[in-house]
Protein backbone atom coordinates (compact mmCIF):
# COMPACT_ATOMS: atom_id res chain seq x y z
CA UNK A 1 0.00 0.00 0.00
CA UNK A 2 1.42 3.42 -0.90
CA UNK A 3 1.68 5.80 1.98
CA UNK A 4 -0.14 9.16 1.72
CA UNK A 5 2.04 12.24 1.19
CA UNK A 6 2.39 14.46 4.27
CA UNK A 7 4.10 17.84 4.34
CA UNK A 8 5.96 18.78 7.52
CA UNK A 9 6.46 22.54 7.40
CA UNK A 10 9.23 22.86 9.99
CA UNK A 11 11.30 20.77 12.40
CA UNK A 12 9.14 18.78 14.83
CA UNK A 13 10.03 16.49 17.73
CA UNK A 14 11.84 13.32 16.66
CA UNK A 15 9.07 11.08 18.00
CA UNK A 16 6.60 12.83 15.68
CA UNK A 17 8.91 12.40 12.68
CA UNK A 18 9.57 8.72 13.51
CA UNK A 19 5.95 7.75 14.06
CA UNK A 20 4.62 9.63 11.05
CA UNK A 21 7.25 8.02 8.80
CA UNK A 22 5.66 4.64 9.53
CA UNK A 23 2.29 5.74 8.18
CA UNK A 24 3.03 8.54 5.70
CA UNK A 25 5.65 9.60 3.19
CA UNK A 26 6.90 12.62 5.10
CA UNK A 27 8.26 15.57 3.09
CA UNK A 28 10.35 17.94 5.22
CA UNK A 29 9.95 21.39 3.74
CA UNK A 30 12.65 23.03 5.82
CA UNK A 31 15.28 20.58 4.48
CA UNK A 32 14.46 21.19 0.80
CA UNK A 33 17.15 23.03 -1.12
CA UNK A 34 14.48 24.44 -3.42
CA UNK A 35 11.29 24.79 -1.36
CA UNK A 36 9.30 26.17 -4.26
CA UNK A 37 10.19 23.14 -6.39
CA UNK A 38 9.18 20.77 -3.58
CA UNK A 39 5.84 22.50 -3.10
CA UNK A 40 5.16 22.43 -6.84
CA UNK A 41 6.04 18.76 -7.12
CA UNK A 42 3.86 17.81 -4.14
CA UNK A 43 0.87 19.97 -5.09
CA UNK A 44 -1.27 17.17 -6.55
CA UNK A 45 -0.60 14.60 -3.82
CA UNK A 46 -0.35 16.16 -0.34
CA UNK A 47 -3.36 15.25 1.80
CA UNK A 48 -1.98 16.12 5.25
CA UNK A 49 0.18 18.78 6.87
CA UNK A 50 1.98 18.53 10.22
CA UNK A 51 2.62 22.04 11.45
CA UNK A 52 4.54 23.71 14.24
CA UNK A 53 4.20 27.43 14.89
CA UNK A 54 7.36 28.30 12.93
CA UNK A 55 5.70 28.53 9.49
CA UNK A 56 2.34 30.26 8.92
CA UNK A 57 -0.20 27.78 7.59
CA UNK A 58 -2.10 30.32 5.53
CA UNK A 59 -4.29 30.16 2.42
CA UNK A 60 -1.18 30.76 0.27
CA UNK A 61 0.28 27.47 1.55
CA UNK A 62 -2.85 25.35 2.08
CA UNK A 63 -4.35 26.56 -1.20
CA UNK A 64 -1.54 24.90 -3.16
CA UNK A 65 -2.85 21.43 -2.29
CA UNK A 66 -6.27 20.65 -3.77
CA UNK A 67 -6.28 17.25 -2.03
CA UNK A 68 -5.41 18.63 1.43
CA UNK A 69 -7.76 17.24 4.08
CA UNK A 70 -6.09 17.79 7.47
CA UNK A 71 -3.64 20.12 9.21
CA UNK A 72 -2.39 18.74 12.53
CA UNK A 73 -0.84 21.54 14.54
CA UNK A 74 1.48 21.20 17.52
CA UNK A 75 0.28 23.26 20.51
CA UNK A 76 -3.14 24.34 21.73
CA UNK A 77 -2.77 27.85 20.27
CA UNK A 78 -3.12 27.74 16.49
CA UNK A 79 -3.08 31.40 15.50
CA UNK A 80 -0.44 30.57 12.84
CA UNK A 81 -3.08 28.45 11.02
CA UNK A 82 -5.91 30.17 9.14
CA UNK A 83 -8.49 27.76 10.55
CA UNK A 84 -11.48 29.79 9.33
CA UNK A 85 -10.22 29.53 5.75
CA UNK A 86 -9.48 25.81 6.24
CA UNK A 87 -13.03 25.25 7.50
CA UNK A 88 -14.51 26.95 4.45
CA UNK A 89 -12.36 24.79 2.18
CA UNK A 90 -13.13 21.39 3.68
CA UNK A 91 -9.85 21.04 5.58
CA UNK A 92 -9.94 19.97 9.23
CA UNK A 93 -7.46 21.58 11.65
CA UNK A 94 -6.44 19.85 14.87
CA UNK A 95 -4.50 21.15 17.89
CA UNK A 96 -3.28 19.64 21.18
CA UNK A 97 -5.67 20.78 23.93
CA UNK A 98 -6.00 19.54 27.53
CA UNK A 99 -2.78 17.48 27.72
CA UNK A 100 -0.89 20.66 28.62
CA UNK A 101 -3.37 22.34 30.99
CA UNK A 102 -1.64 21.37 34.25
CA UNK A 103 1.87 22.18 33.01
CA UNK A 104 0.96 25.64 31.74
CA UNK A 105 -0.99 26.33 34.95
CA UNK A 106 2.07 25.32 37.00
CA UNK A 107 4.19 27.68 34.90
CA UNK A 108 1.71 30.51 35.38
CA UNK A 109 1.81 30.10 39.16
CA UNK A 110 5.61 29.87 39.06
CA UNK A 111 5.82 33.04 37.00
CA UNK A 112 3.36 34.84 39.26
CA UNK A 113 5.30 33.89 42.39
CA UNK A 114 8.61 34.81 40.75
CA UNK A 115 7.22 38.22 39.84
CA UNK A 116 5.55 39.01 43.16
CA UNK A 117 8.37 37.70 45.37
CA UNK A 118 11.22 38.57 42.95
CA UNK A 119 12.76 35.11 43.16
CA UNK A 120 14.92 35.39 40.00
CA UNK A 121 16.26 38.71 41.31
CA UNK A 122 17.08 37.13 44.70
CA UNK A 123 19.02 34.37 42.92
CA UNK A 124 21.02 36.97 40.97
CA UNK A 125 21.61 38.88 44.22
CA UNK A 126 23.09 35.84 45.98
CA UNK A 127 25.31 34.90 43.02
CA UNK A 128 26.64 38.46 42.85
CA UNK A 129 27.85 38.11 46.47
CA UNK A 130 25.55 40.85 47.71
CA UNK A 131 24.05 38.72 50.51
CA UNK A 132 27.43 38.97 52.26
CA UNK A 133 26.86 42.72 52.48
CA UNK A 134 23.17 42.82 53.52
CA UNK A 135 19.94 40.79 53.25
CA UNK A 136 17.78 41.10 50.13
CA UNK A 137 15.13 43.83 50.59
CA UNK A 138 11.61 42.77 51.60
CA UNK A 139 9.28 42.08 48.67
CA UNK A 140 5.58 42.21 47.88
CA UNK A 141 3.33 39.25 48.66
CA UNK A 142 0.65 37.11 47.09
CA UNK A 143 -1.39 37.56 50.27
CA UNK A 144 -2.95 40.88 49.28
CA UNK A 145 -3.49 40.04 45.63
CA UNK A 146 -6.66 39.58 43.59
CA UNK A 147 -6.21 37.99 40.19
CA UNK A 148 -8.23 38.83 37.10
CA UNK A 149 -7.90 36.10 34.49
CA UNK A 150 -8.26 37.14 30.86
CA UNK A 151 -9.35 33.86 29.21
CA UNK A 152 -10.93 31.47 31.70
CA UNK A 153 -10.73 28.45 29.38
CA UNK A 154 -9.18 25.04 29.93
CA UNK A 155 -5.84 26.40 31.17
CA UNK A 156 -7.40 29.44 32.85
CA UNK A 157 -9.54 27.14 35.01
CA UNK A 158 -6.49 25.06 36.00
CA UNK A 159 -4.79 28.31 37.05
CA UNK A 160 -7.88 29.46 38.98
CA UNK A 161 -7.98 26.15 40.87
CA UNK A 162 -4.38 26.63 41.96
CA UNK A 163 -5.03 30.24 42.99
CA UNK A 164 -7.98 29.08 45.10
CA UNK A 165 -5.66 26.66 46.90
CA UNK A 166 -3.31 29.59 47.54
CA UNK A 167 -6.22 31.54 49.05
CA UNK A 168 -6.13 34.18 46.31
CA UNK A 169 -9.45 35.59 44.99
CA UNK A 170 -10.11 35.12 41.26
CA UNK A 171 -12.35 36.98 38.79
CA UNK A 172 -12.38 36.74 35.00
CA UNK A 173 -13.07 38.38 31.67
CA UNK A 174 -13.92 36.72 28.35
CA UNK A 175 -16.40 37.38 25.58
CA UNK A 176 -19.08 35.35 27.33
CA UNK A 177 -20.12 34.75 30.92
CA UNK A 178 -19.79 31.12 32.05
CA UNK A 179 -22.79 30.08 34.09
CA UNK A 180 -21.07 27.03 35.60
CA UNK A 181 -18.23 28.87 37.37
CA UNK A 182 -18.38 30.63 40.72
CA UNK A 183 -15.91 33.42 39.86
CA UNK A 184 -17.21 36.93 39.21
CA UNK A 185 -17.49 37.80 35.52
CA UNK A 186 -16.56 41.19 34.07
CA UNK A 187 -18.00 41.98 30.62
CA UNK A 188 -15.43 44.81 30.40
CA UNK A 189 -11.67 44.17 30.52
CA UNK A 190 -10.98 47.74 31.69
CA UNK A 191 -13.47 47.39 34.55
CA UNK A 192 -11.84 44.14 35.65
CA UNK A 193 -8.36 45.70 35.45
CA UNK A 194 -9.56 48.50 37.76
CA UNK A 195 -10.76 45.97 40.37
CA UNK A 196 -7.73 43.64 40.51
CA UNK A 197 -4.01 44.02 41.17
CA UNK A 198 -2.88 41.07 39.01
CA UNK A 199 -4.04 40.75 35.39
CA UNK A 200 -3.22 37.25 34.18
CA UNK A 201 -3.53 36.62 30.44
CA UNK A 202 -4.18 33.11 29.16
CA UNK A 203 -6.25 33.99 26.10
CA UNK A 204 -5.40 32.91 22.55
CA UNK A 205 -3.75 35.07 19.89
CA UNK A 206 -5.47 36.13 16.67
CA UNK A 207 -7.42 39.12 15.42
CA UNK A 208 -10.02 39.22 18.22
CA UNK A 209 -7.44 39.55 21.01
CA UNK A 210 -4.81 41.59 19.16
CA UNK A 211 -3.35 44.15 21.61
CA UNK A 212 -6.54 44.21 23.72
CA UNK A 213 -4.31 44.76 26.75
CA UNK A 214 -3.44 48.33 25.79
CA UNK A 215 -2.43 51.56 27.53
CA UNK A 216 -5.96 52.09 28.87
CA UNK A 217 -6.08 48.62 30.45
CA UNK A 218 -2.61 49.06 31.96
CA UNK A 219 -3.59 52.43 33.40
CA UNK A 220 -6.67 50.80 34.94
CA UNK A 221 -4.48 48.08 36.47
CA UNK A 222 -2.60 50.85 38.23
CA UNK A 223 0.68 51.47 40.08
CA UNK A 224 0.37 48.38 42.32
CA UNK A 225 -0.64 46.21 39.36
CA UNK A 226 1.21 43.21 37.98
CA UNK A 227 0.74 41.84 34.45
CA UNK A 228 1.31 38.12 33.88
CA UNK A 229 1.15 36.78 30.31
CA UNK A 230 1.21 33.06 29.51
CA UNK A 231 -1.26 33.39 26.60
CA UNK A 232 0.13 35.06 23.49
CA UNK A 233 2.43 38.06 23.10
CA UNK A 234 0.08 39.59 20.53
CA UNK A 235 -2.62 40.08 23.20
CA UNK A 236 -0.51 42.86 24.75
CA UNK A 237 0.45 46.17 23.18
CA UNK A 238 4.14 45.62 23.94
CA UNK A 239 5.33 49.22 23.36
CA UNK A 240 2.51 50.41 25.68
CA UNK A 241 3.60 47.84 28.28
CA UNK A 242 7.23 49.00 28.11
CA UNK A 243 6.06 52.58 28.53
CA UNK A 244 3.84 51.63 31.49
CA UNK A 245 6.72 49.77 33.18
CA UNK A 246 9.09 52.71 32.63
CA UNK A 247 6.59 55.29 33.89
CA UNK A 248 5.56 53.05 36.85
CA UNK A 249 1.98 53.10 35.57
CA UNK A 250 2.08 49.44 36.67
CA UNK A 251 4.40 47.79 39.21
CA UNK A 252 5.87 44.89 37.27
CA UNK A 253 5.30 42.11 34.77
CA UNK A 254 5.99 38.41 34.32
CA UNK A 255 6.03 37.35 30.67
CA UNK A 256 6.34 33.92 29.07
CA UNK A 257 5.27 35.14 25.62
CA UNK A 258 6.21 38.09 23.41
CA UNK A 259 5.04 39.81 20.24
CA UNK A 260 8.01 38.81 18.05
CA UNK A 261 9.47 35.63 19.58
CA UNK A 262 12.24 34.77 20.11
CA UNK A 263 13.20 38.43 19.79
CA UNK A 264 12.50 40.20 23.09
CA UNK A 265 12.78 44.01 23.24
CA UNK A 266 16.09 45.14 24.74
CA UNK A 267 14.15 47.56 26.93
CA UNK A 268 12.41 44.64 28.69
CA UNK A 269 15.67 42.71 29.04
CA UNK A 270 17.24 45.79 30.62
CA UNK A 271 14.55 46.10 33.31
CA UNK A 272 15.17 44.46 36.67
CA UNK A 273 11.53 44.62 37.80
CA UNK A 274 10.22 42.20 35.16
CA UNK A 275 10.55 38.42 34.98
CA UNK A 276 11.04 36.98 31.51
CA UNK A 277 10.63 33.32 30.51
CA UNK A 278 11.49 32.01 27.00
CA UNK A 279 7.99 30.63 26.22
CA UNK A 280 8.34 27.55 28.43
CA UNK A 281 4.69 27.23 29.51
CA UNK A 282 4.30 23.62 28.36
CA UNK A 283 7.98 22.83 27.97
CA UNK A 284 8.54 19.73 30.10
CA UNK A 285 9.54 16.41 28.54
CA UNK A 286 6.36 14.77 29.88
CA UNK A 287 3.97 17.36 28.46
CA UNK A 288 5.73 17.92 25.15
CA UNK A 289 5.68 14.14 24.58
CA UNK A 290 1.93 14.08 25.25
CA UNK A 291 1.42 16.96 22.79
CA UNK A 292 3.59 15.24 20.17
CA UNK A 293 1.60 12.02 20.54
CA UNK A 294 -1.64 13.92 19.96
CA UNK A 295 -0.26 15.46 16.75
CA UNK A 296 0.47 11.93 15.50
CA UNK A 297 -2.74 10.35 16.79
CA UNK A 298 -4.89 12.97 15.03
CA UNK A 299 -3.21 12.27 11.70
CA UNK A 300 -3.30 8.48 12.07
CA UNK A 301 -6.95 8.42 13.25
CA UNK A 302 -7.90 10.61 10.29
CA UNK A 303 -5.97 8.46 7.80
CA UNK A 304 -7.70 5.39 9.26
CA UNK A 305 -11.08 6.94 8.52
CA UNK A 306 -11.94 7.45 12.19
CA UNK A 307 -12.02 11.25 11.98
CA UNK A 308 -9.83 13.71 13.88
CA UNK A 309 -9.51 13.42 17.68
CA UNK A 310 -9.25 17.11 18.55
CA UNK A 311 -10.60 19.35 15.78
CA UNK A 312 -10.56 23.10 16.51
CA UNK A 313 -13.78 25.09 16.85
CA UNK A 314 -13.59 26.53 13.31
CA UNK A 315 -13.48 23.06 11.71
CA UNK A 316 -16.00 20.91 13.62
CA UNK A 317 -16.17 17.20 12.91
CA UNK A 318 -18.20 15.81 11.29
CA UNK A 319 -18.29 18.95 9.12
CA UNK A 320 -21.47 21.01 9.45
CA UNK A 321 -23.50 21.54 6.30
P1 LIG B 1 -9.46 27.75 25.61
O1 LIG B 1 -10.00 27.90 24.23
O2 LIG B 1 -9.93 26.64 26.46
O3 LIG B 1 -9.68 29.12 26.42
C1 LIG B 1 -9.49 30.36 25.84
C2 LIG B 1 -10.22 31.41 26.66
O4 LIG B 1 -9.96 32.69 26.10
C3 LIG B 1 -11.73 31.21 26.70
O5 LIG B 1 -12.17 31.31 28.03
C4 LIG B 1 -12.27 32.36 25.85
O6 LIG B 1 -13.49 32.80 26.41
C5 LIG B 1 -11.19 33.42 25.99
N1 LIG B 1 -11.14 34.28 24.81
C6 LIG B 1 -11.01 33.90 23.52
N2 LIG B 1 -11.07 34.97 22.72
C7 LIG B 1 -11.25 36.05 23.52
C8 LIG B 1 -11.40 37.43 23.28
N3 LIG B 1 -11.37 37.94 22.05
N4 LIG B 1 -11.57 38.26 24.34
C9 LIG B 1 -11.58 37.76 25.59
N5 LIG B 1 -11.44 36.44 25.89
C10 LIG B 1 -11.28 35.60 24.86
O7 LIG B 1 -7.88 27.69 25.40
P2 LIG B 1 -6.76 27.07 26.37
O8 LIG B 1 -7.07 27.43 27.79
O9 LIG B 1 -6.55 25.65 26.03
O10 LIG B 1 -5.48 27.89 25.86
C11 LIG B 1 -5.46 29.30 25.93
C12 LIG B 1 -4.26 29.88 25.23
O11 LIG B 1 -3.10 29.74 26.03
C13 LIG B 1 -3.85 29.22 23.90
O12 LIG B 1 -4.65 29.65 22.83
C14 LIG B 1 -2.42 29.65 23.75
O13 LIG B 1 -2.34 30.88 23.05
C15 LIG B 1 -1.95 29.87 25.20
N6 LIG B 1 -0.96 28.87 25.59
C16 LIG B 1 0.30 29.28 25.94
C17 LIG B 1 1.26 28.36 26.32
C18 LIG B 1 2.61 28.78 26.74
O14 LIG B 1 3.56 28.01 26.57
N7 LIG B 1 2.79 29.96 27.29
C19 LIG B 1 0.99 26.92 26.29
C20 LIG B 1 -0.38 26.60 25.96
C21 LIG B 1 -1.30 27.55 25.62
P3 LIG B 1 -14.68 33.36 25.48
O15 LIG B 1 -14.84 32.40 24.34
O16 LIG B 1 -15.85 33.44 26.40
O17 LIG B 1 -14.23 34.70 25.04
Amino acid sequence: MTKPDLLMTGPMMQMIQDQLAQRFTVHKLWLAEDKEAMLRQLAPSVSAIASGSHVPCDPALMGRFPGLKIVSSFGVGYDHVDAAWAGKNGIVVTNTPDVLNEEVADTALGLLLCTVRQFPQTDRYLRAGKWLEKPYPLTGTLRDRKVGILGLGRIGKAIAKRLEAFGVPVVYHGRTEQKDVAYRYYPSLVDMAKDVNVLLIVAPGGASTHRIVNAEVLKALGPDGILINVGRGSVVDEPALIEALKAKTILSAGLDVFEDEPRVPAELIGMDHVVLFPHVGSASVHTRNAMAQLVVDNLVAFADGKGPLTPVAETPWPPQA
Side-chain angles (χ1 to χ4, degrees):
M1 196 180 87
T2 52
K3 296 177 185 173
D5 281 318
L6 177 145
L7 182 72
M8 193 173 278
T9 55
M12 299 186 92
M13 287 171 67
Q14 196 58 45
M15 65 177 274
I16 299 182
Q17 299 192 35
D18 293 346
Q19 289 190 49
L20 289 182
Q22 293 172 23
R23 196 65 173 66
F24 299 86
T25 302
V26 178
H27 302 275
K28 299 177 181 176
L29 185 60
W30 74 100
L31 296 181
E33 264 181 35
D34 185 343
K35 293 190 177 61
E36 186 51 39
M38 179 190 253
L39 291 172
R40 222 179 305 122
Q41 190 204 334
L42 291 174
S45 63
V46 160
S47 58
I49 290 180
S51 161
S53 56
H54 13 59
V55 179
C57 208
D58 53 18
L61 180 72
M62 292 185 280
R64 299 182 76 129
F65 306 108
L68 182 62
K69 293 280 173 262
I70 180 168
V71 173
S72 179
S73 180
F74 184 90
V76 70
Y78 52 96
D79 33 313
H80 62 290
V81 182
D82 192 334
W85 185 90
K88 284 187 203 119
N89 287 276
I91 300 162
V92 67
V93 177
T94 64
N95 63 345
T96 62
D98 289 318
V99 293
L100 42 56
N101 292 351
E102 306 305 323
E103 203 72 69
V104 183
D106 288 353
T107 308
L109 262 293
L111 183 54
L112 174 59
L113 281 166
C114 280
T115 310
V116 172
R117 296 293 325 282
Q118 303 175 10
F119 291 140
Q121 294 90 326
T122 65
D123 177 273
R124 293 200 287 272
Y125 187 89
L126 180 153
R127 288 170 199 269
K130 294 183 183 169
W131 191 17
L132 297 167
E133 295 159 24
K134 56 179 183 193
Y136 190 84
L138 302 182
T139 71
T141 176
L142 204 55
R143 304 279 70 78
D144 57 9
R145 296 268 156 198
K146 178 173 170 185
V147 176
I149 296 182
L150 167 52
L152 189 74
R154 291 168 293 232
I155 301 170
K157 289 193 177 82
I159 294 171
K161 192 173 159 195
R162 282 160 175 71
L163 288 169
E164 272 193 69
F166 276 83
V168 175
V170 171
V171 298
Y172 74 102
H173 166 73
R175 289 164 301 183
T176 43
E177 182 169 13
Q178 302 181 41
K179 301 291 178 203
D180 55 345
V181 300
Y183 315 114
R184 176 171 173 196
Y185 172 67
Y186 285 80
S188 152
L189 177 56
V190 173
D191 287 348
M192 181 174 83
K194 273 185 199 148
D195 274 6
V196 299
N197 50 16
V198 175
L199 175 58
L200 194 156
I201 304 166
V202 63
S208 78
T209 57
H210 188 250
R211 291 192 166 184
I212 58 174
V213 175
N214 54 20
E216 187 191 4
V217 173
L218 295 168
K219 188 160 179 272
L221 188 57
D224 186 38
I226 292 177
L227 181 76
I228 301 292
N229 191 1
V230 294
R232 276 290 179 271
S234 60
V235 179
V236 177
D237 181 339
E238 214 164 66
L241 171 63
I242 291 168
E243 202 40 54
L245 286 163
K246 273 193 203 159
K248 300 195 190 313
T249 308
I250 66 167
L251 183 67
S252 61
L255 308 171
D256 184 45
V257 287
F258 304 86
E259 275 197 321
D260 184 26
E261 298 176 8
R263 283 158 292 276
V264 175
E267 282 159 302
L268 284 177
I269 290 175
M271 289 178 189
D272 201 44
H273 64 311
V274 298
V275 177
L276 309 174
F277 286 177
H279 200 148
V280 291
S282 66
S284 70
V285 173
H286 168 92
T287 296
R288 286 288 167 87
N289 281 348
M291 293 162 66
Q293 195 59 54
L294 198 44
V295 168
V296 173
D297 291 348
N298 265 299
L299 287 162
V300 171
F302 193 81
D304 286 346
K306 296 175 189 158
L309 303 178
T310 50
V312 303
E314 294 89 335
T315 66
W317 194 267
Q320 286 163 359

